[in-house]
Amino acid sequence: MTTQVGELLTTDSVLRIRGGVLLRGEVGVNGAKNSALAIMAGALLCSQECRIRNVPNLVDVHRMGQVLTALGVKVRYDRGALELDVTHLHRSLAPYEIVSQLRASFFVIGPLLARLGVARVPMPGGCAIGARPVELHVRGLQALGAVVQIEHGMVHAYARKLKGANIYLDYPSVGATETLMMAATLAEGETVIENAAQEPEVVDLANFCRSMGAKIRGAGTKTITVVGVPRLHTTEYSIIPDRIEAGTFMVAAAITRSDVLITPVIPEHLTPVIAKLNEIGFQATVEAPNGVRVQPGAGVYQGTDIETLPFPGFPTDMQAQFMALLTLSEGSSVVTETVFENRLRHVAELQRLGANIRVKGNHAVIQGVPFLSGAPVTATDLRASAALVLAGLAAQGETVISGLHHLDRGYERLEEKLRSLGADLVRVAA
Ligand code: EPU
């Protein structure tokens, strides 16, 4: 890859934000991180070259590039375009050092098995937001005829030829749906995945696979049908805009009571985010053809309850950012996290800024306060780091955020984009 991961790693720097500044203008959204990661794994299904456009320049994308390189793929990244030459895919072992840092790299197991008949991928392990097991991926691959053994922390999967099957997922896991959909594209016969995840990134991956000749129907609904084909061909594909990056800028506008236009977006991907902002009292409107605008409302900003759910429910990846916003909304709000079991760690950091939040189990009860006051805080995971940036933009005085390596996993040039809207923030050595 032409940009080195080292350039992006920023463990020693901190973000200094002077809060209380109004934002104004238009901000651009990059390609979706979670589409890019799945599609990079999906490219292994192709036995030629693929060109993927609108790929965000993120640490996680570069880590996935390193996994592909280790498998024998030639990877070139240049200003948002990723060229993957998969002609010489020959290694079936994904390196532990990378898989342990990037859970999404586990998704290579499906394509590797489909292409090479063997895959050896380390168990990804838990992370800052939960234990994140992979049994749904494993059971689904077994249903497709693979022999799967887990030994010494490594998942070994073999199959001379995968065979289509009916698979019911106990939970609509995004990753398991993606793994099984990819594996089924080259299987013999028809696979039906019931209770599939309906996230836009699943649809994007399906569209990418279809552009290579895969036969997939129903992506975006609860039932996905895949009819296996012998091989997939070269393609050029462009990734959808990142709905979570867009949502984060929408909350940036709201929390600073500003007027900001965010483009490009696919408005239907943002329905719950738009609805909740309007419910709180902001004006969030779709601006045709591909923008969304957030403006201050006329009255008070009222707290609301939020429960995270699989798509089309409210996204867990926007929960922390909305919690930051609710700390400054009137009255009480209850935020319930149902997708991940440990995704409320930002509460303690928001409390350092003066937020009034109590946690009970997977619920956070927020009592709105009139203002937040800047303080040193530490990011605990990707979306938590975004929530702290948002809180810092609204807080009185200076907020200093450390733990920025989390932020750089999922947001490309976040501070540059916010500065272009007028925000006062700078990244400096710690
Ligand atoms: N789960 C299981 N068993 C499995 C698979 C999942 O119990 O075999 C559980 C997980 O532990 C979790 C829940 O199911 O509690 C949902 O997990 P899912 O598999 O849907 O999530 P994922 O594929 O691991 C992707 C995104 C996440 C996003 C979730 C939910 C990627 C690379 N990651 O994760 O993104 O939160 O879907 O929408 O696509 C982020 O971008 O900040 C992020 C964490």
Side-chain angles (χ1 to χ4, degrees):
M1 296 183 120
T2 49
T3 310
Q4 293 305 308
V5 172
E7 290 173 26
L8 291 162
L9 287 179
T10 44
T11 34
D12 291 338
S13 34
V14 295
L15 204 54
R16 290 185 176 277
I17 308 179
R18 192 153 284 284
V21 178
L22 270 184
L23 310 182
R24 191 174 184 78
E26 184 173 339
V27 66
V29 175
N30 283 91
K33 166 182 79 88
N34 290 342
S35 278
L37 297 175
I39 285 174
M40 287 172 79
L44 295 175
L45 293 165
C46 166
S47 31
Q48 301 164 322
E49 288 179 21
C50 297
R51 192 174 151 83
I52 309 165
R53 284 179 277 114
N54 203 27
V55 179
N57 190 8
L58 300 171
V59 169
D60 275 6
V61 165
H62 289 270
R63 285 196 179 125
M64 192 63 152
Q66 289 175 324
V67 174
L68 299 188
T69 304
L71 297 171
V73 178
K74 286 202 185 115
V75 180
R76 239 186 80 78
Y77 181 76
D78 192 13
R79 282 161 296 162
L82 190 56
E83 277 164 25
L84 301 172
D85 181 354
V86 197
T87 325
H88 303 291
L89 174 72
H90 61 284
R91 282 192 289 268
S92 58
L93 174 66
Y96 170 76
E97 309 77 60
I98 310 171
V99 179
S100 60
Q101 291 181 58
L102 173 66
R103 287 188 46 85
S105 55
F106 185 79
F107 302 171
V108 298
I109 194 166
L112 276 181
L113 194 54
R115 276 290 307 284
L116 303 178
V118 52
R120 292 172 298 154
V121 185
M123 296 281 288
C127 72
I129 58 177
R132 305 182 80 177
V134 287
E135 86 288 356
L136 296 174
H137 305 240
V138 169
R139 286 212 296 264
L141 291 173
Q142 286 169 331
L144 292 173
V147 174
V148 186
Q149 288 159 346
I150 302 174
E151 273 171 4
H152 307 296
M154 178 77 80
V155 183
H156 301 255
Y158 310 88
R160 196 163 293 152
K161 183 76 190 160
L162 292 172
K163 291 207 165 46
N166 285 352
I167 302 170
Y168 170 79
L169 294 177
D170 286 341
Y171 183 88
S173 153
V174 173
T177 303
E178 292 173 343
T179 292
L180 301 174
M181 188 168 74
M182 290 189 275
T185 57
L186 296 178
E188 230 170 65
E190 185 180 276
T191 298
V192 180
I193 308 171
E194 299 277 10
N195 199 26
Q198 303 174 71
E199 268 68 4
E201 295 75 20
V202 171
V203 180
D204 209 21
L205 173 64
N207 287 338
F208 168 71
C209 291
R210 283 163 42 158
S211 75
M212 296 191 294
K215 291 195 175 147
I216 303 175
R217 289 193 315 270
T221 74
K222 284 174 186 290
T223 306
I224 299 178
T225 306
V226 185
V227 178
V229 295
R231 69 191 60 77
L232 298 180
H233 54 70
T234 181
T235 187
E236 176 153 355
Y237 188 82
S238 188
I239 286 177
I240 56 169
D242 195 311
R243 65 193 165 106
I244 306 301
E245 188 193 7
T248 303
F249 286 125
M250 291 168 74
V251 178
I255 204 166
T256 55
R257 310 329 191 206
S258 301
D259 180 349
V260 175
L261 176 65
I262 296 125
T263 72
V265 300
I266 299 176
E268 308 87 80
H269 295 173
L270 289 164
T271 303
V273 173
I274 293 172
K276 282 293 165 190
L277 285 177
N278 285 323
E279 202 179 306
I280 296 169
F282 299 95
Q283 267 188 63
T285 45
V286 172
E287 294 227 336
N290 64 353
V292 63
R293 185 169 180 184
V294 177
Q295 294 169 279
V300 293
Y301 300 110
Q302 199 61 49
T304 184
D305 295 345
I306 287 177
E307 181 173 344
T308 65
L309 288 167
F311 192 85
F314 188 91
T316 173
D317 294 344
M318 284 302 301
Q319 179 258 106
Q321 299 90 316
F322 263 79
M323 192 179 303
L325 179 62
L326 292 172
T327 65
L328 291 171
S329 304
E330 281 196 16
S332 59
S333 308
V334 180
V335 170
T336 306
E337 172 59 52
T338 76
V339 179
F340 289 106
E341 70 275 14
N342 190 22
R343 211 177 197 181
L344 293 173
R345 289 173 66 201
H346 39 280
V347 167
E349 300 304 306
L350 290 172
Q351 283 168 334
R352 293 177 58 77
L353 299 173
N356 180 351
I357 311 173
R358 276 179 304 119
V359 174
K360 203 160 174 31
N362 64 336
H363 306 285
V365 181
I366 302 144
Q367 196 62 45
V369 292
F371 61 89
L372 297 175
S373 50
V377 286
T378 305
T380 49
D381 72 71
L382 167 57
R383 306 306 169 185
S385 62
L388 295 178
V389 172
L390 298 174
L393 291 175
Q396 295 179 354
E398 189 178 71
T399 298
V400 181
I401 306 176
S402 49
L404 297 183
H405 54 290
H406 291 295
L407 192 68
D408 296 330
R409 296 185 64 168
Y411 292 92
E412 183 182 327
R413 297 179 293 111
L414 182 69
E415 58 265 30
E416 192 185 313
K417 291 186 184 187
L418 287 170
R419 259 199 309 271
S420 78
L421 293 173
D424 184 353
L425 76 175
V426 61
R427 191 183 286 237
V428 292

